[in-house]
Amino acid sequence: MTDPAEQPDVNAATVEQVVRQRLAEAFGGVRGIVEAAVPTITFTVCYLTTRELTLSLIIASALTAVLLIARVVQRSNPQFVINALVGIGIAALFASRTGEARDVFLPGIIYNAGYAVVLVSTVVIGWPAIGVMIGALVGDLSRWRRDPGMRRLCNRLTLVFALPCILRVVVQYPLYAADQIGWLGTSKIVMGWPLQIATLAAMVWLLSRNSTPVTDLGDADEPGRA
């Protein structure tokens, strides 16, 4: 058994409940979802309207900065706005070097490709990323691997988590190569939070079919659950 002092500081009885809570927190609620989409929506609309790359980047960055200021004034968590601001900053850096509007979307394509490779690789080597996260939550990075059912569940969850990244690259890279700015912006928005929510729903469904007690995680005598 895991030492009670090492249990995660969450109000949950099962590992699945712990993961559901952490995944829900990762999206930042409706406000976090909207804030993440603001830079892309603003840039795409401005560029398609004006065809001015620099102006569109400035407006998108300025609006995102306003959202950050609002978070600071309200003393609420600015994490999701900061992520969006960093994202538009990196996009602006890429685009400013080439002068091509399509390069605003290149960092996202590269990020998703890299993230997908990393997630799939963790499954291939037998250390699925979701399993490592669960292990960190319960204070033991490897004990969960003793349960075959838990390993299978973590493999599935990790692959489901990687799927949106793979889909984004498959859809967006051809649009990038064809210099389709409007469709790139649209696909990034549609394949952003809506796809993430669908992924979360799929993961919650998988988790709802399991009930691995946190205190029994990795117990060698505990039969696997799948």
Side-chain angles (χ1 to χ4, degrees):
M1 295 290 184
T2 305
D3 191 319
E6 297 177 343
Q7 295 299 317
D9 186 19
V10 292
N11 193 17
T14 69
V15 171
E16 288 75 22
Q17 290 174 343
V18 171
V19 179
R20 284 199 294 269
Q21 290 174 8
R22 289 296 181 259
L23 290 174
E25 292 168 4
F27 289 95
V30 174
R31 183 174 179 178
I33 289 171
V34 171
E35 289 169 340
V38 164
T40 299
I41 295 173
T42 305
F43 172 80
T44 303
V45 171
C46 288
Y47 183 77
L48 291 177
T49 302
T50 67
R51 293 292 172 178
E52 292 288 341
L53 175 59
T54 302
L55 176 63
S56 300
L57 287 170
I58 290 174
I59 293 175
S61 301
L63 185 54
T64 309
V66 169
L67 295 177
L68 177 59
I69 293 172
R71 281 282 193 175
V72 172
V73 170
Q74 295 171 355
R75 297 184 179 180
S76 59
N77 186 0
Q79 172 191 344
F80 301 98
V81 187
I82 291 175
N83 291 345
L85 196 58
V86 170
I88 192 64
I90 294 174
L93 179 62
F94 271 65
S96 65
R97 292 174 64 89
T98 64
E100 295 190 34
R102 67 174 184 169
D103 285 336
V104 167
F105 302 94
L106 184 57
I109 295 172
I110 294 174
Y111 171 83
N112 278 283
Y115 204 61
V117 169
V118 170
L119 288 174
V120 173
S121 296
T122 66
V123 174
V124 172
I125 66 175
W127 285 84
I130 297 296
V132 175
M133 181 188 77
I134 292 173
L137 288 172
V138 300
D140 192 318
L141 292 178
S142 62
R143 185 172 293 186
W144 59 271
R145 299 183 74 247
R146 301 177 190 174
D147 187 326
M150 180 57 69
R151 289 202 306 271
R152 287 193 297 271
L153 174 63
C154 291
N155 282 336
R156 293 168 187 166
L157 288 171
T158 303
L159 290 174
V160 169
F161 202 58
L163 185 58
C165 298
I166 297 171
L167 291 176
R168 289 181 190 125
V169 174
V170 169
V171 171
Q172 293 174 8
Y173 183 75
L175 294 174
Y176 168 83
D179 200 18
Q180 295 292 321
I181 306 302
W183 284 112
L184 264 174
T186 301
S187 67
K188 184 167 183 178
I189 294 166
V190 171
M191 303 187 79
W193 62 265
L195 186 56
Q196 289 298 109
I197 290 175
T199 300
L200 177 61
M203 296 179 78
V204 168
W205 178 79
L206 282 173
L207 291 167
S208 69
R209 300 172 60 245
N210 297 268
S211 55
T212 306
V214 170
T215 54
D216 291 344
L217 180 61
D219 194 325
D221 298 325
E222 183 73 9
R225 297 178 175 84

